[in-house]
Amino acid sequence: MACAFPRAIRVGQRIVFCFRGEFPFRPTLRFVPLSLVSTPLAGLSVNVFCTLFDSAYLPQGLALLRSLVRHVPGARLWVLAMDDPCHRLLTGLAHPSLRVLRLQDSESEQLRLVRPQRSWGEYCWTLTPFLPALVLARDPAADTVTYVDADCWLPGPVAPLLDCLEAS
């Protein structure tokens, strides 16, 4: 099975999978084709996913969380909350499969310097490649971190897709 759009990146002994939508990004749900999904990923004790969004994307982000919990047993979703209202709402949910990071606690000095030079959307895209490494540093149980755009929705288990990425 060929995987043209996702990308697998090896970080030490860990693998980071990145699922990115088309450019430009649109605030709509994207569906992973059913032909790419079947059974939960075998061999991993925990399926760790990460994404980032602000309060404007809360409906899409919550749909992503719900689809992961429903279709990926033991899934854990790390969210970099890009604004305070988003952080407050997500933290208030106290969802057992959700881990929330605050933007201010996650930015490096270099990222803070770049922030004024970018639009809000560009800054979110700038943070995307840094997020999996941040999650790997904070989640010792994670062997694999999968980045998923916040406006994705998974209609079923993602094992074949992840297996394809790992083999690439």
Side-chain angles (χ1 to χ4, degrees):
M1 178 183 322
C3 290
F5 63 94
R7 183 177 185 142
I9 304 165
R10 189 168 296 276
V11 179
Q13 294 299 316
R14 298 171 174 184
I15 297 174
V16 177
F17 297 112
C18 299
F19 294 83
R20 300 289 306 262
E22 307 80 42
F23 185 83
F25 300 105
R26 295 186 189 117
T28 58
L29 296 176
R30 292 201 181 89
F31 296 86
V32 175
L34 283 172
S35 62
L36 296 177
V37 298
S38 67
T39 58
L41 190 61
L44 292 179
S45 57
V46 64
N47 291 301
V48 180
F49 297 84
C50 65
T51 193
L52 58 89
F53 55 88
D54 61 14
S55 53
Y57 269 73
L58 272 167
Q60 292 91 340
L62 292 173
L64 170 61
L65 172 63
R66 186 173 180 181
S67 70
L68 282 171
V69 167
R70 183 174 182 188
H71 297 296
V72 184
R76 184 163 43 236
L77 178 63
W78 285 79
V79 175
L80 178 57
M82 297 297 292
D83 60 22
D84 288 333
C86 180
H87 184 266
R88 279 193 304 272
L89 187 133
L90 292 175
T91 303
L93 287 177
H95 195 287
S97 298
L98 182 63
R99 306 294 184 272
V100 185
L101 300 167
R102 185 186 313 264
L103 176 61
Q104 296 85 337
D105 301 335
S106 305
E107 289 175 300
S108 68
E109 187 58 37
Q110 289 122 345
L111 287 171
R112 283 188 193 98
L113 291 172
V114 170
R115 189 174 182 179
Q117 302 167 5
R118 309 262 162 98
S119 71
W120 185 244
E122 290 171 336
Y123 188 62
C124 290
W125 300 328
T126 300
L127 292 172
T128 300
F130 295 96
L131 185 54
L134 183 64
V135 171
L136 286 171
R138 294 188 182 205
D139 192 341
D143 291 325
T144 303
V145 174
T146 305
Y147 175 82
V148 183
D149 277 347
D151 56 356
C152 288
W153 176 81
L154 307 172
V158 296
L161 183 59
L162 294 176
D163 290 343
C164 178
L165 286 169
E166 191 166 359
S168 66

